[in-house]
Amino acid sequence: MLHLMLDAYGCQSERQNDLKSIYEIIYKVINELSVKAVMPPILVPYYYGDVKEDDGISAYVILKGGHFTIHTFPDRECYFADLLYDGFVSEDKFVSILKAELPCKNNLIKTTDRRFSIKEQCELNSINSSIDFGPHYLIRTTNDCELSMEQIYHFLDELPYEINMDAIQRPLVITDRVNNYDIISGITVIAQSHIAIHYYIKERKAYIDIFSCSFINCDEIVDVVKQKLNIECDSVLISRGSKHVKKLTQRDELVARYDAWKENAK
């Protein structure tokens, strides 16, 4: 189960703000890498947060045993793409497709096999919340766990609020079959990032991603996940976005309208 994580910097392409272009890029990645999608892509524009530089598009598609996500930040001149897939994927081809469609001046790529101990594979970078964009928590269950679609839905629906993240979409949870294994896959979009889980029913193993745009204590997140799903796990924190353009322009009026909408939606 390969997980490719690409951070791209110095991207000044107008396509980052174009929904049709991002939709086409997703299909190109799927087709040229020959990965199997189980649904059409979903795109979520985000232009109403408290920081203008967080504007952009979040997009995802659930794959057989994984997902492909891309989050664009035009004002920060960067984007982040993740491909988790239960099968072979060429890292070089993945990077070359994205760089051809969304050219960037430099990039960082990390690759890990999620079926094995994450800590043994990932180079642990020092975390600096003042310059890094945000954390990516990779979690793998280490005990036999039993999860249902309903449990996974409520986990994805409730977790953002419990760890101070800003949910902008309700969860999508589906079942599928990969290599004779039944899988429950779920994903939800939080402000310009995502939370995803893939649960292998027969193996009774789950693989969880929490990609955030703000830092909180890593142990706190892992403890909340353990408690909500009744699991044991190993985990690693990977820092993303250390080379992004940082401006942080506030916009109080738009934020007030968005906060009022959220309160009315409860």
Side-chain angles (χ1 to χ4, degrees):
M1 180 182 288
L2 289 179
H3 190 167
L4 311 180
M5 296 165 275
L6 173 69
D7 297 359
Y9 304 103
C11 178
Q12 298 179 341
S13 172
E14 290 296 323
R15 302 189 78 193
Q16 286 197 88
N17 260 329
D18 185 73
L19 288 167
K20 182 179 178 182
S21 293
I22 299 302
Y23 194 90
E24 292 172 347
I25 290 169
I26 291 173
Y27 266 109
K28 187 162 188 176
V29 168
I30 291 171
N31 292 332
E32 295 198 9
L33 291 180
S34 298
V35 296
K36 297 179 180 179
V38 298
M39 54 168 283
I42 292 180
L43 288 80
V44 184
Y46 182 73
Y47 295 98
Y48 42 77
D50 60 345
V51 178
K52 182 182 182 301
E53 282 67 35
D54 287 345
D55 284 359
I57 296 169
S58 285
Y60 69 87
V61 59
I62 294 180
L63 308 173
K64 280 190 170 293
H67 60 266
F68 172 52
T69 62
I70 183 167
H71 304 287
T72 72
F73 296 84
D75 289 324
R76 297 183 186 273
E77 300 178 5
C78 66
Y79 62 88
F80 304 93
D82 285 76
L83 180 65
L84 175 63
Y85 190 61
D86 196 354
F88 173 76
V89 179
S90 169
E91 176 186 306
D92 291 340
K93 195 169 186 179
F94 175 67
V95 174
S96 66
I97 293 170
L98 286 170
K99 290 183 70 175
E101 298 298 321
L102 290 172
C104 59
K105 292 181 179 178
N106 57 76
N107 66 268
L108 296 175
I109 180 75
K110 297 183 179 73
T111 303
T112 182
D113 188 334
R114 295 292 296 274
R115 288 192 178 276
F116 301 98
S117 175
I118 305 167
K119 293 181 179 179
E120 294 176 3
Q121 302 173 70
C122 296
E123 179 181 350
L124 298 181
N125 300 324
S126 58
I127 305 299
N128 187 335
S129 60
S130 66
I131 62 172
D132 296 332
F133 177 74
H136 191 154
Y137 303 91
L138 307 181
I139 300 172
R140 179 192 68 143
T141 59
T142 54
N143 65 322
D144 289 342
C145 57
E146 294 187 14
L147 301 176
S148 66
M149 288 187 71
E150 184 177 12
Q151 285 176 294
I152 289 173
Y153 179 89
H154 287 300
F155 167 74
L156 293 171
D157 200 37
E158 297 166 1
L159 183 65
Y161 302 100
E162 296 193 19
I163 56 178
N164 298 318
M165 295 178 179
D166 196 2
I168 59 175
Q169 187 190 45
R170 301 304 291 271
L172 174 66
V173 182
I174 66 171
T175 60
D176 193 40
R177 191 169 179 81
V178 181
N179 300 325
N180 296 319
Y181 288 96
D182 291 317
I183 300 174
I184 303 173
S185 292
I187 191 167
T188 189
V189 177
I190 55 180
Q192 276 294 65
S193 45
H194 67 272
I195 303 172
I197 179 171
H198 302 282
Y199 174 63
Y200 283 68
I201 298 173
K202 186 176 180 180
E203 291 183 317
R204 307 210 303 186
K205 300 293 183 184
Y207 305 88
I208 304 166
D209 285 81
I210 303 175
F211 184 17
S212 173
C213 57
S214 61
F215 278 91
I216 69 170
N217 184 276
C218 180
D219 292 334
E220 180 181 336
I221 285 185
V222 174
D223 287 343
V224 172
V225 171
K226 286 181 177 180
Q227 181 179 12
K228 291 190 70 63
L229 294 179
N230 190 27
I231 61 171
E232 295 299 325
C233 62
D234 65 5
S235 63
V236 69
L237 169 61
I238 296 178
S239 181
R240 310 282 297 265
S242 60
K243 296 178 173 56
H244 72 277
V245 175
K246 189 172 184 179
K247 301 175 185 177
L248 297 180
T249 302
Q250 305 292 326
R251 45 186 182 191
D252 296 336
E253 181 181 351
L254 187 58
V255 173
R257 293 205 304 268
Y258 175 53
D259 288 343
W261 172 83
K262 285 196 301 181
E263 185 64 28
N264 190 51
K266 289 182 179 178

